[in-house]
């Protein structure tokens, strides 16, 4: 009887062995989850970089066609996604400027198809498409807004600079001429979940310089 009891004791795990096994399992689990998280983040950032490159190409087509980059009509418009507020005006402007679907989000644009976006490119709008075959994965809809999104599913930020003007030599004031049509800033906040309304100027000169290192941007 005593021998049988001793045999049973040898078959049981000690507390140290159990802790060791649980620790190894937890370590392996964390490595798997960590690897998945890294791969997911890398995929989203890569998609965002490709999206921004595609948008920039489309913007050059737009400027060549219409003489300047599009200006958002309501740059400070807000949408709520997963209980967080995002500025959507620039992304909505980009969607219309590149897809040709509507024009009410583009300042000064008139007569280029129907006013509001509806998610479809009709035959009479096809001539306004600046980014051919815009993939469905690159845009989303929230409320009344259609907008370009990054790889994280959030609106791309887009700000157009105001045109620079100068006095015309030899002519009396206020005769002025536009010397350029303005450039633009375009970016994604990527993993930054704290500064979702910060501007590009704040990223360059302001309080979010450190956080903006996570951003994917064109400057």
């Amino acid at each position: 009887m005593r021998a049988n009891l001793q045999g049973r004791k040898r078959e049981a795990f000690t507390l140290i062995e159990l802790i060791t096994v649980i620790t190894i399992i937890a370590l392996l689990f964390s490595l798997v989850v960590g690897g998945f998280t890294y791969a997911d983040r890398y995929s989203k950032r890569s998609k965002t970089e490709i999206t921004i490159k595609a948008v920039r190409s489309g913007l050059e087509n737009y400027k060549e066609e219409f003489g300047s980059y599009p200006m958002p009509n309501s740059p400070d418009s807000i949408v709520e996604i997963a209980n967080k507020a995002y500025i959507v005006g620039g992304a909505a402007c980009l969607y219309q400027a590149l897809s040709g679907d509507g024009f009410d989000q583009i300042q000064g644009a008139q007569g280029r198809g129907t006013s509001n976006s509806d998610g479809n490119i009709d035959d009479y709008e096809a001539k306004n498409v600046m980014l051919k075959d815009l993939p469905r994965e690159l845009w989303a809809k929230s409320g009344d807004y259609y907008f370009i999104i990054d790889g994280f599913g959030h609106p791309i930020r887009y700000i157009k600079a105001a045109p620079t003007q100068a006095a015309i030599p030899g002519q009396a004031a206020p005769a002025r001429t536009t010397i350029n049509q303005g450039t633009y800033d375009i970016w994604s906040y990527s993993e930054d979940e704290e500064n979702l309304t910060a501007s590009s100027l704040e990223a360059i000169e302001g309080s979010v310089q450190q956080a903006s290192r996570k951003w994917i941007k064109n400057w």
Side-chain angles (χ1 to χ4, degrees):
M1 178 67 71
R2 182 175 299 175
N4 290 337
L5 289 175
Q6 289 177 346
R8 291 176 185 175
K9 287 181 180 179
R10 284 197 297 271
E11 291 173 1
F13 286 104
T14 66
L15 180 60
I16 293 177
E17 289 173 334
L18 285 172
I19 292 174
T20 301
V21 171
I22 292 173
T23 300
I24 293 173
I25 292 174
L27 178 61
L28 292 173
F29 179 78
S30 65
L31 289 174
V32 171
V33 172
F36 173 79
T37 301
Y38 174 81
D40 182 59
R41 182 169 62 248
Y42 178 81
S43 174
K44 290 177 179 178
R45 290 186 65 88
S46 296
K47 180 180 177 181
T48 300
E49 291 171 356
I50 292 171
T51 298
I52 288 179
K53 287 180 180 179
V55 168
R56 294 183 68 183
S57 176
L59 284 172
E60 294 307 317
N61 293 338
Y62 186 97
K63 183 181 180 183
E64 183 177 348
E65 179 71 20
F66 298 104
S68 65
Y69 298 116
M71 176 74 81
N73 195 36
S74 303
D76 298 324
S77 300
I78 297 288
V79 296
E80 190 171 284
I81 301 174
N83 298 319
K84 291 190 176 182
Y86 293 85
I87 294 178
V88 75
C93 171
L94 287 177
Y95 170 80
Q96 291 189 342
L98 304 184
S99 71
D101 179 21
F103 62 87
D104 63 315
Q105 298 298 321
I106 306 172
Q107 189 176 110
Q110 296 181 358
R112 297 174 48 235
T114 56
S115 176
N116 300 323
S117 300
D118 60 7
N120 298 306
I121 310 303
D122 300 312
D123 290 340
Y124 59 85
E125 292 176 317
K127 65 181 182 298
N128 299 320
V129 176
M130 298 295 111
L131 189 57
K132 304 296 184 184
D133 301 321
L134 182 67
R136 178 62 183 84
E137 293 77 15
L138 294 191
W139 59 270
K141 180 181 185 295
S142 180
D144 295 329
Y145 295 100
Y146 289 80
F147 48 89
I148 300 294
I149 58 174
D150 60 18
F152 297 81
H154 306 148
I156 289 284
R157 283 299 306 275
Y158 167 73
I159 296 176
K160 180 182 181 295
T164 302
Q165 294 188 331
I168 299 176
Q171 295 192 25
R176 303 181 69 81
T177 184
T178 299
I179 58 177
N180 68 59
Q181 292 295 328
T183 56
Y184 60 85
D185 292 338
I186 181 171
W187 72 95
S188 158
Y189 295 110
S190 59
E191 300 98 337
D192 183 4
E193 296 283 348
E194 304 298 326
N195 303 284
L196 302 179
T197 59
S199 69
S200 53
L201 183 61
E202 290 175 295
I204 297 170
E205 301 177 357
S207 59
V208 298
Q209 288 178 307
Q210 184 72 20
S212 69
R213 293 179 181 178
K214 299 178 181 179
W215 301 3
I216 299 171
K217 44 195 184 289
N218 72 324
W219 68 85

